Amino acid sequence: MSDFNSENISSGFGNAENAEVISKSYSAEEHDESTRKIDGCFGIKNEELDSRIAEDSNNSDSANSYGTKEDAARRAESASIYNSQVKAKYMHSSDAGKNKKDKKAGKKAFIVIIAVIAFFAAISAFKGGSGNTKSSFDVKVFSNNEKVKNPFDIFNGKKTTPVFSAGSYDYDYIARLDIIGTIQEANETYNQQWLIDTVRELKADENNKGLLLFIDSPGGAVYQADELYLELLDYKREGKPIWAYMASTAASGGYYISCAADKIYANRNTMTGSIGVLMGPVLDLTGLMEKYGIKATTFKSGKNKNMLNYNQPVTDEQKEIMQAYIDECYEQFVGIVAESRKMPLAKAKEIADGRIYSAKQAHANGLIDSVCGYDDAVKEMQNFFYDEKLTKDEEISVEIMTYKEEDPFQNLFKFLGVDKPRQQASLPELQLLEQFNKIPAGPAYYMGF
């Protein structure tokens, strides 16, 4: 307000007479008084400000400072300019104050949100989850994140595989172990190390009386299938029985693992069999490369070091090498089938030509023990323990253990109660390519397409 003086008004009107009149209408004392009044109005609404300014103007008119209408008109014009400057200053100050309030409110809201997240994370970490509550079908889901319930674990950059802890149940129980998806080192539904560790922990748990394998797999890598099979045989050396139940698919490597069971049950719609080994496809692109003038050179130390590479044809010698390797894997598979199903090796080879079988056909060929529903298989296993009197008088429960690969950021979205945005479905060609990429490298007990 201090820059509004007689000199500014004089320059605005360019007339000495007008400047003198305006200067008289606003003496230094009146200017200070007006400033105090207007500054005191910054916390009120525009309508009240206009009212007060009009009131001051009326009061000054009633004081008869000037006697002529001409002076009154000039004074009104100067007052209008003065009022517009006052309003401009008021509006600027009001907007600034509003922005400050908005920023403070935003900061408070952000702090509240962070505090709520931290509070619930602390509660989740404190509760932990003992898993000691008895249930007939208690689902125990394990993932590759050590603390799924704590969303802040996404910042530590660690992805570990928790294992089943011996003593998690203080009563006798049967453990159902899910073997789902392609058998390999790790994928969304299958984790080799998790399965191995879980079987070992179950073997050491005195309350665990038996194991039910729930298999829904088309097969997979030779190494992982055999490793899990051998681990299951070691489990049985503790005197604990293993039963297997086949879901929609238990073919090739899936059937291989089921051979560790004392009894095998299958749903009537199960697809099983596919007993055999495959490797490939091996591509020879030399003709295509020659057509388009593409040349590829590989430096090798032996004539067969580069075999199966796309830039050279497969020789007869190399075919014999690979077939001998595949046949050895096949003999191992058929030998396990014959031993597990207590059938002559010749008969096992007769039915193990790579074909798939329905549940009814598999039962007729001696590959499984019974065709039934899942609940029936569970009841038969429970009755087995009652007959053997290995458990307490109360009903023995079945505790389900399954693996699911977790996305740490997905856990954070779930914790906040929102869904993570989903990606659009890929083209059919890409989906087919993804299926081929799931086939393990090297020889595999895998049901072909």
Side-chain angles (χ1 to χ4, degrees), residues 318-347:
Q318 292 168 357
K319 290 179 181 178
E320 292 178 1
I321 293 173
M322 293 310 304
Q323 191 60 52
Y325 183 65
I326 296 299
D327 289 344
E328 184 176 328
C329 294
Y330 172 76
E331 291 292 335
Q332 176 177 290
F333 195 167
V334 175
I336 287 175
V337 172
E339 181 180 0
S340 172
R341 304 309 303 167
K342 297 179 175 56
M343 66 173 62
L345 183 60
K347 181 181 177 181

Side-chain angles (χ1 to χ4, degrees), residues 8-19:
N8 291 337
I9 296 172
S10 176
S11 62
F13 287 92
N15 187 301
E17 182 180 355
N18 291 344

Side-chain angles (χ1 to χ4, degrees), residues 144-146 153-160 408:
N144 62 345
N145 295 303
E146 191 167 3
D153 283 345
I154 64 174
F155 300 112
N156 62 19
K158 297 179 181 179
K159 295 182 73 176
T160 59

Side-chain angles (χ1 to χ4, degrees), residues 80-368:
S80 176
I81 296 173
Y82 182 80
N83 291 343
S84 63
Q85 293 192 8
V86 170
K87 283 186 177 181
K89 177 179 178 181
Y90 165 72
M91 293 301 293
H92 176 74
S93 301
S94 177
D95 290 343
K98 184 178 180 181
N99 291 335
K100 289 182 179 179
K101 289 181 180 179
D102 291 342
K103 289 181 179 179
K104 289 182 179 179
K107 289 181 179 179
K108 289 181 180 179
F110 178 76
I111 293 173
V112 170
I113 292 174
I114 294 299
V116 171
I117 293 175
F119 174 74
F120 283 105
I123 292 178
S124 299
F126 178 76
K127 289 183 178 180
S130 61
N132 289 329
T133 303
K134 183 174 180 180
S135 171
S136 296
F137 294 95
D138 180 23
V139 180
K140 202 174 190 67
V141 179
F142 297 92
S143 76
N144 62 345
N145 295 303
E146 191 167 3
K147 297 177 181 178
V148 177
K149 293 184 179 180
N150 188 348
F152 296 102
D153 283 345
I154 64 174
F155 300 112
N156 62 19
K158 297 179 181 179
K159 295 182 73 176
T160 59
T161 303
V163 298
F164 170 82
S165 297
S168 292
Y169 302 98
D170 57 1
Y171 49 83
D172 294 343
Y173 70 97
I174 299 169
R176 191 190 100 175
L177 187 61
D178 288 356
I179 300 172
I180 300 174
T182 302
I183 301 168
Q184 53 189 173
E185 190 60 34
N187 54 52
E188 294 178 356
T189 58
Y190 185 95
N191 186 290
Q192 180 74 5
Q193 192 58 51
W194 179 83
L195 287 167
I196 295 295
D197 291 341
T198 301
V199 172
R200 290 174 180 174
E201 291 285 345
L202 289 170
K203 181 179 70 173
D205 187 0
E206 294 182 356
N207 291 322
N208 172 245
K209 300 303 179 181
L211 184 58
L212 174 62
L213 304 177
F214 183 86
I215 303 174
D216 191 358
S217 170
V222 166
Y223 173 79
Q224 279 78 16
D226 187 58
E227 184 184 40
L228 181 55
Y229 168 80
L230 294 175
E231 196 64 45
L232 291 169
L233 292 184
D234 189 60
Y235 171 90
K236 289 205 301 183
R237 292 189 181 97
E238 295 296 318
K240 301 180 180 183
I242 298 178
W243 288 20
Y245 182 80
M246 298 177 175
S248 62
T249 305
S252 202
Y255 183 78
Y256 188 109
I257 293 174
S258 71
C259 287
D262 300 293
K263 289 185 178 293
I264 303 177
Y265 296 82
N267 183 278
R268 64 181 182 178
N269 297 306
T270 297
M271 181 168 56
T272 187
S274 188
I275 301 171
V277 189
L278 61 81
M279 181 176 179
V282 178
L283 301 178
D284 178 7
L285 302 181
T286 54
L288 183 65
M289 295 169 62
E290 182 178 355
K291 178 179 179 180
Y292 290 97
I294 301 173
K295 295 183 179 181
T297 302
T298 301
F299 300 96
K300 56 184 182 295
S301 58
K303 63 178 181 179
N304 291 317
K305 187 63 178 177
N306 192 44
M307 68 177 185
L308 309 185
N309 199 329
Y310 65 87
N311 63 355
Q312 74 172 37
V314 181
T315 65
D316 292 337
E317 181 184 12
Q318 292 168 357
K319 290 179 181 178
E320 292 178 1
I321 293 173
M322 293 310 304
Q323 191 60 52
Y325 183 65
I326 296 299
D327 289 344
E328 184 176 328
C329 294
Y330 172 76
E331 291 292 335
Q332 176 177 290
F333 195 167
V334 175
I336 287 175
V337 172
E339 181 180 0
S340 172
R341 304 309 303 167
K342 297 179 175 56
M343 66 173 62
L345 183 60
K347 181 181 177 181
K349 287 187 176 181
E350 181 182 347
I351 62 177
D353 60 357
R355 75 180 66 185
I356 60 173
Y357 293 101
S358 67
K360 184 177 180 180
Q361 292 170 341
H363 183 249
N365 284 292
L367 294 175
I368 65 175

Side-chain angles (χ1 to χ4, degrees), residues 385-422:
F385 285 105
Y386 301 149
D387 294 340
E388 294 293 325
K389 298 181 180 179
L390 298 176
T391 67
K392 301 175 183 178
D393 294 335
E394 62 185 26
E395 180 179 297
I396 188 168
S397 64
V398 177
E399 310 299 350
I400 304 174
M401 299 167 199
T402 188
Y403 175 87
K404 181 180 179 182
E405 185 180 55
E406 291 284 349
D407 178 355
F409 282 97
Q410 183 70 48
N411 289 331
L412 179 59
F413 278 97
K414 289 180 180 177
F415 185 83
L416 296 176
V418 296
D419 292 329
K420 184 178 179 182
R422 298 180 180 179

